[in-house]
């Protein structure tokens, strides 16, 4: 067993070293000393949205509208308070917020953004119920809507995405990405909050799905596990900095993409098209297309010959 003095000295030495901020550490932190966003509090924000949007599923069922209204009101008040605080903390990362410098200005702007989000909740609810319908309609293994809402990882991911996307539209820094990464870590479904996804969207199974920032997805689109809507290449400015320009696919209405297909680059998949599994696609296809793999060749071996 090591001597206690030796252990304590090692602890003190490393505490002293790790307490000093390096130049790189300082360069990566916001200039202010205000508190940073809390991942746990952001997680609570999504829970509150679920309680409001799916009140009969994530709260005790309340047939009486008055009682239901009371509980939704309680959750709404907590949501407004938490969201305002977390947005205020996240505004430290805003690169275009020179006009809001004082603490009062920051919290005023955060409250405005939080209320704008709350005004969008009825539309977020409408979109999420279209997603529930699409997932139920596209999966014969779904016995009822409740199982979709309670159990489907894709529904969990879409709830996080719909919340994050609205905050992204409001130009809230950091918080939207925290929200979608919470779903990513839990479900394996990686949807950037900047992606645009229409109504009646479904993902079957979902594990390994990647939807990039500038993807545009129409209505009634269905994806299967392992699908990637990614970038083919990146462009740089004269200083060698990567440009954030549209670089992900556009999927028009009623497109189905089967498992492990990779659709890359700023290309368009025309409406009512089907993209088969394990396809690598880097060019646009017209409406009503059906893109499938070549048929496998059944070549037998003779005399012990290998491939």
């Amino acid at each position: 067993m090591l001597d206690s003095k030796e252990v304590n000295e090692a602890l003190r030495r490393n505490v002293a070293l790790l307490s000093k901020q390096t130049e790189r550490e300082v360069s990566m932190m916001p200039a202010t000393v205000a508190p940073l966003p809390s991942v746990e509090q952001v997680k609570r924000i999504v829970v509150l949205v679920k309680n409001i949007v799916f009140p009969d599923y994530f709260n005790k069922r309340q047939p009486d509208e008055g009682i239901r209204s009371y509980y939704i009101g309680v959750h709404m008040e907590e949501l407004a308070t938490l969201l305002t605080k977390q947005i205020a903390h996240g505004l430290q990362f805003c690169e275009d917020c020179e006009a809001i410098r004082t603490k009062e200005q920051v919290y005023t702007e955060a409250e405005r953004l939080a209320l704008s989000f709350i005004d969008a909740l009825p539309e977020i609810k409408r979109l999420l119920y279209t997603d529930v319908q699409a997932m139920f309609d596209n999966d014969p293994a779904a016995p009822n809507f409740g199982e979709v809402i309670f159990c489907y990882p894709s529904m969990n991911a879409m709830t996080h995405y719909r919340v994050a996307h609205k905050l992204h539209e409001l130009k809230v820094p950091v918080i939207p990405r925290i929200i979608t990464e919470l779903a990513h870590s839990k479900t394996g479904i990686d949807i950037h909050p900047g992606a645009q996804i229409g109504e009646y969207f479904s993902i079957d199974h979902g594990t390994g799905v990647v939807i990039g920032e500038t993807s545009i997805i129409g209505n009634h689109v269905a994806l299967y596990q392992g699908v990637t809507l990614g970038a083919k290449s990146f462009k740089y400015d004269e200083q060698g900095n990567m440009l954030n320009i549209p670089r992900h696919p556009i999927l028009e209405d009623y497109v189905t993409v089967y498992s492990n297909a990779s659709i890359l680059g700023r290309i368009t998949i025309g409406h009512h098209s089907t993209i088969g599994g394990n396809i690598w696609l880097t060019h646009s296809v017209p409406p009503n297309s059906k893109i499938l793999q070549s048929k496998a060749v059944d070549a037998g071996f003779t005399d012990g010959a290998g491939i």
Side-chain angles (χ1 to χ4, degrees):
M1 192 171 182
L2 292 177
D3 181 72
S4 61
K5 290 184 178 179
E6 185 179 355
V7 172
N8 289 334
E9 175 56 32
L11 295 176
R12 283 194 295 268
R13 182 174 64 253
N14 285 285
V15 166
L17 288 170
L18 292 168
S19 298
K20 296 177 181 178
Q21 288 187 314
T22 64
E23 290 184 11
R24 178 169 292 178
E25 184 179 357
V26 171
S27 71
M28 291 182 178
M29 289 290 290
T32 65
V33 293
L36 298 178
S38 162
V39 173
E40 288 304 312
Q41 292 297 301
V42 172
K43 192 181 296 183
R44 175 63 183 165
I45 285 168
V46 179
V47 169
L48 288 168
V49 171
K50 285 185 176 182
N51 289 340
I52 292 167
V53 171
F54 301 112
D56 292 330
Y57 290 92
F58 296 102
N59 283 310
K60 183 180 178 181
R61 195 168 187 183
Q62 301 292 349
D64 184 272
E65 187 173 328
I67 299 175
R68 194 180 196 212
S69 175
Y70 168 78
Y71 281 105
I72 289 176
V74 170
H75 292 312
M76 191 80 79
E77 188 174 3
E78 184 183 354
L79 174 63
T81 301
L82 276 182
L83 193 55
T84 297
K85 188 174 182 179
Q86 292 309 307
I87 290 174
H89 294 170
L91 284 172
Q92 297 175 78
F93 295 91
C94 179
E95 296 179 357
D96 303 315
C97 297
E98 293 184 3
I100 50 171
R101 294 182 177 179
T102 68
K103 183 176 180 180
E104 184 179 355
Q105 289 172 328
V106 168
Y107 272 86
T108 298
E109 176 65 6
E111 190 171 39
R112 184 189 71 80
L113 292 169
L115 290 178
S116 294
F117 174 81
I118 286 170
D119 280 336
L121 276 173
E123 176 62 8
I124 291 172
K125 177 176 180 176
R126 186 192 73 81
L127 287 169
L128 284 171
Y129 275 89
T130 71
D131 298 333
V132 172
Q133 185 71 57
M135 292 177 200
F136 176 80
D137 290 343
N138 290 335
D139 188 0
N144 52 64
F145 295 112
E147 188 164 309
V148 174
I149 294 170
F150 278 130
C151 307
Y152 277 38
S154 48
M155 198 61 232
N156 187 27
M158 285 307 295
T159 302
H160 282 73
Y161 159 76
R162 297 286 187 197
V163 172
H165 180 67
K166 186 59 195 179
L167 292 171
H168 179 85
E169 284 187 328
L170 293 170
K171 301 189 185 303
V172 174
V174 179
I175 307 298
R177 195 63 185 271
I178 293 175
I179 291 171
T180 52
E181 289 304 324
L182 285 171
H184 181 196
S185 64
K186 189 172 183 178
T187 67
I189 299 170
D190 182 1
I191 308 176
H192 193 283
Q196 299 176 45
I197 302 178
E199 58 188 33
Y200 294 95
F201 179 68
S202 70
I203 307 175
D204 197 1
H205 301 292
T207 307
V209 166
V210 177
I211 301 175
E213 177 189 14
T214 62
S215 299
I216 299 176
I217 298 174
N219 302 324
H220 297 276
V221 171
L223 308 182
Y224 285 75
Q225 67 272 17
V227 168
T228 297
L229 305 182
K232 181 182 176 184
S233 59
F234 304 100
K235 293 185 178 181
Y236 300 85
D237 62 18
E238 294 178 353
Q239 288 73 43
N241 298 312
M242 195 177 295
L243 295 172
N244 189 3
I245 59 175
R247 59 198 180 277
H248 299 100
I250 300 170
L251 275 57
E252 295 182 346
D253 297 346
Y254 294 96
V255 168
T256 299
V257 185
Y258 284 97
S259 58
N260 298 312
S262 293
I263 304 176
L264 308 178
R266 193 57 163 186
I267 62 176
T268 299
I269 308 302
H271 60 80
H272 292 86
S273 291
T274 299
I275 310 301
N278 298 304
I279 294 292
W280 176 276
L281 191 59
T282 57
H283 61 82
S284 296
V285 299
N288 301 295
S289 296
K290 184 175 286 187
I291 309 298
L292 304 174
Q293 280 189 322
S294 299
K295 291 183 178 179
V297 177
D298 186 6
F301 300 131
T302 59
D303 300 326
I307 294 173

